[in-house]
Amino acid sequence: MKRTKLWLSVGVPVLALVWIGWHGFARDSRVYSSGRMSGAHAVLEAECGACHVQTAGTFSAKASDNACLSCHDAPMHHAAQASSLGCAECHTEHRGRVNIIAAKNESCAQCHGDLKASAGATRYQTHINSFEDGHPEFAALRQVAGAPAADSGTIRVNHAIHMKAIRRGPTGPNVQLECGDCHQPGAASADWKYADAKYTAASTSYSQEDEVLAIKPGTLERPVPISGRELMAPVRFANACAGCHSLAFDRRFNEGVPHDKPEIVHAFLVKKFGEYIATHPGELREARDPGRDLTGRPVQAAVRVYTANEWVATQIDNAEELLWRKTCKQCHALAIGTRKDNLPAVEPARTTLRWMPHARFDHDEHRGFSCVSCHEKGLKSTETSDVLLPGIATCKTCHAPGPEHAESRCFECHTYHDWEKRKEVKPTFTLPALRTGGR
């Protein structure tokens, strides 16, 4: 037994050294590796020198930032950050085929657990350790100066009415709307149930700035969208509203006015009524309807004869009175009498597309859930100013630690690198297959 122990004590280390030496001679560096690399870097598994600096025949234990930056531009987080972290402090390798973007909460908490900016002030929460520990309610839902959060949009909409059985147009049948009838992701090619082909095919003179609020500066953007289905597209009249809300303006015509700026609508009315009276000159003589005489008002002549221009002007006045004071005003905020041409000024829609500009959210990944399971407030909302975003408590029902829950670490929602400041890098790495001539 003593001799066996002696031989084992000498032989096993010798065999280990021979094994390690053989792999070194064969330039197989996997034997020295701390573990398998992530899927993104699997091609570099046998190329230690691509990340680790070699000095005196040995590789440094820590990968250098310059090695990472030779392939990744990786712009910084914020210019005001107090300290700079090395790439490997957040993106740890040799943990197997894991997602290297999946940084640990502890990496983020190094700064955000006690956040300090280099300028001495920050507009963000200063003590967040994780989604479960210290994360505040979403900014869009927090009170401002004691007042509840409010939607800045100007399009008047009553979600509660639209979520019940509602009449389709003045004389149409009752229909039951669903959330997806009006709200669809930007890249969706849905068959809009309540669209009107005339309006969807028409071009409009208003721009996206008239519809959507611009994203505030300082927002960290991802390089490119994943699919275009992450965010909901703005609700547009042509796709979602025209099938129910008629823009009719006169009983003589079966079509409505364009859904456009007041000057475009006015020009349309001038053209329509001008063309009509040219082919119906008999309507220049208008007989008075005695049933419409008002008590105390002077009695009008039994028959009134118009010139063509007078008739067109009268019909336009009647049509615009209906449109500006009833039809358009039902949804839009109009300021009548503020323009020199007597046309109303229309408030921009100011639709918010990104309610959480400092986080990312993908509706497509949540498509298995019904809309109202998260946006329950939409069933009871009666005011445009209501913010229908689900609160953090709703998200925490699924996103929590543990294998039975969805991912809840910081990286799931937050982007670190400011990709607006990205720069292109000059490629320097050569594929192993090219180095060895394809062998």
Side-chain angles (χ1 to χ4, degrees), residues 162-175:
H162 285 80
M163 292 306 294
K164 298 175 182 176
I166 189 173
R167 185 174 295 280
R168 182 174 183 177
T171 59
N174 282 354
V175 295

Side-chain angles (χ1 to χ4, degrees), residues 6 17 135 144 152 157 177 181 194-195 216 218 312 323 388 403:
L6 176 63
L17 290 173
H135 197 295
V144 180
S152 62
V157 59
L177 298 177
D181 293 331
Y194 299 102
K216 294 180 179 179
V312 169
L323 291 169
L388 307 183

Side-chain angles (χ1 to χ4, degrees), residues 48-163:
C48 302
C51 302
H52 298 273
V53 178
Q54 188 173 13
T55 305
T58 62
F59 290 111
S60 62
K62 193 174 182 180
S64 67
D65 284 354
N66 287 335
C68 301
L69 295 174
S70 65
C71 294
H72 305 282
D73 48 18
M76 294 302 293
H77 185 30
H78 280 295
Q81 65 189 63
S83 60
S84 179
L85 299 175
C87 304
E89 292 184 59
C90 297
H91 304 291
T92 308
E93 264 295 0
H94 298 292
R95 294 180 294 136
R97 296 289 191 260
V98 299
N99 179 10
I100 195 171
I101 298 176
K104 298 181 294 184
N105 283 342
E106 291 77 8
S107 298
C108 302
Q110 290 181 71
C111 295
H112 288 271
D114 186 14
L115 186 62
K116 296 181 178 67
S118 59
T122 176
R123 58 192 176 98
Y124 303 105
Q125 293 291 318
T126 56
H127 298 288
I128 305 175
N129 293 304
S130 66
F131 189 52
E132 301 78 30
D133 181 8
H135 197 295
E137 180 58 273
F138 302 138
L141 294 171
R142 292 181 219 149
Q143 291 189 349
V144 180
D151 189 340
S152 62
T154 64
I155 302 300
R156 297 189 177 102
V157 59
N158 185 321
H159 278 87
I161 287 179
H162 285 80
M163 292 306 294

Side-chain angles (χ1 to χ4, degrees), residues 343-373:
L343 295 176
V346 183
E347 283 286 324
R350 292 201 286 269
T351 301
T352 300
L353 285 188
R354 288 189 60 179
W355 283 99
M356 297 186 290
H358 296 287
R360 59 184 175 89
F361 178 84
D362 191 344
H363 278 94
D364 196 44
E365 292 182 358
H366 295 79
R367 62 187 179 275
F369 296 92
S370 67
C371 300
V372 295
S373 64

Side-chain angles (χ1 to χ4, degrees), residues 406-424:
E407 179 64 72
S408 67
R409 284 176 288 176
C410 305
F411 78 91
E412 178 72 0
C413 299
H414 293 285
T415 299
Y416 178 89
H417 298 291
D418 188 354
W419 292 104
E420 288 185 350
K421 297 180 176 63
R422 68 179 301 177
K423 58 184 183 300
E424 298 300 327

Side-chain angles (χ1 to χ4, degrees), residues 115-408:
L115 186 62
K116 296 181 178 67
S118 59
T122 176
R123 58 192 176 98
Y124 303 105
Q125 293 291 318
T126 56
H127 298 288
I128 305 175
N129 293 304
S130 66
F131 189 52
E132 301 78 30
D133 181 8
H135 197 295
E137 180 58 273
F138 302 138
L141 294 171
R142 292 181 219 149
Q143 291 189 349
V144 180
D151 189 340
S152 62
T154 64
I155 302 300
R156 297 189 177 102
V157 59
N158 185 321
H159 278 87
I161 287 179
H162 285 80
M163 292 306 294
K164 298 175 182 176
I166 189 173
R167 185 174 295 280
R168 182 174 183 177
T171 59
N174 282 354
V175 295
Q176 179 61 59
L177 298 177
E178 297 180 0
C179 301
D181 293 331
C182 300
H183 299 282
Q184 290 285 347
S189 56
D191 181 17
W192 296 93
K193 191 174 182 179
Y194 299 102
D196 186 309
K198 172 180 174 291
Y199 287 101
T200 55
S203 59
T204 57
S205 63
Y206 52 83
S207 63
Q208 185 172 348
E209 287 72 24
D210 295 316
E211 296 183 277
V212 178
L213 279 179
I215 302 297
K216 294 180 179 179
T219 301
L220 299 187
E221 293 281 1
R222 304 193 74 189
V224 291
I226 299 174
S227 65
R229 302 178 66 93
E230 296 86 1
L231 301 177
M232 290 294 168
V235 177
R236 291 188 165 87
F237 176 84
N239 292 335
C241 312
C244 298
H245 293 273
S246 170
L247 298 185
F249 60 98
D250 191 278
R251 57 181 174 78
R252 300 176 182 87
F253 305 98
N254 293 324
E255 61 181 315
V257 297
H259 184 259
D260 212 316
K261 293 181 177 181
E263 51 266 34
I264 303 297
V265 175
H266 181 77
F268 173 85
L269 294 175
V270 171
K271 181 175 182 291
K272 273 295 179 184
F273 283 119
E275 292 173 347
Y276 180 85
I277 199 58
T279 57
H280 300 80
E283 293 197 23
L284 291 175
R285 291 175 57 86
E286 182 181 85
R288 176 176 60 86
D289 182 2
R292 300 186 66 182
D293 291 342
L294 298 177
T295 304
R297 294 287 183 89
V299 177
Q300 301 294 324
V303 176
R304 182 176 178 180
V305 180
Y306 294 92
T307 66
N309 288 338
E310 288 174 341
W311 187 89
V312 169
T314 299
Q315 303 310 316
I316 290 175
D317 286 344
N318 293 338
E320 291 185 340
E321 181 76 11
L322 169 68
L323 291 169
W324 307 150
R325 298 189 182 277
K326 182 181 178 183
T327 306
C328 300
K329 200 170 184 177
Q330 185 177 5
C331 299
H332 291 278
L334 302 181
I336 300 175
T338 59
R339 289 173 43 159
K340 293 181 179 180
D341 55 9
N342 291 324
L343 295 176
V346 183
E347 283 286 324
R350 292 201 286 269
T351 301
T352 300
L353 285 188
R354 288 189 60 179
W355 283 99
M356 297 186 290
H358 296 287
R360 59 184 175 89
F361 178 84
D362 191 344
H363 278 94
D364 196 44
E365 292 182 358
H366 295 79
R367 62 187 179 275
F369 296 92
S370 67
C371 300
V372 295
S373 64
C374 293
H375 300 280
E376 184 181 6
K377 289 181 277 188
L379 297 173
K380 300 178 181 179
S381 170
T382 60
E383 301 293 335
T384 303
S385 58
D386 294 338
V387 178
L388 307 183
L389 193 74
I392 192 171
T394 301
C395 300
K396 284 182 176 180
T397 57
C398 295
H399 293 273
E404 70 280 8
H405 290 95
E407 179 64 72
S408 67

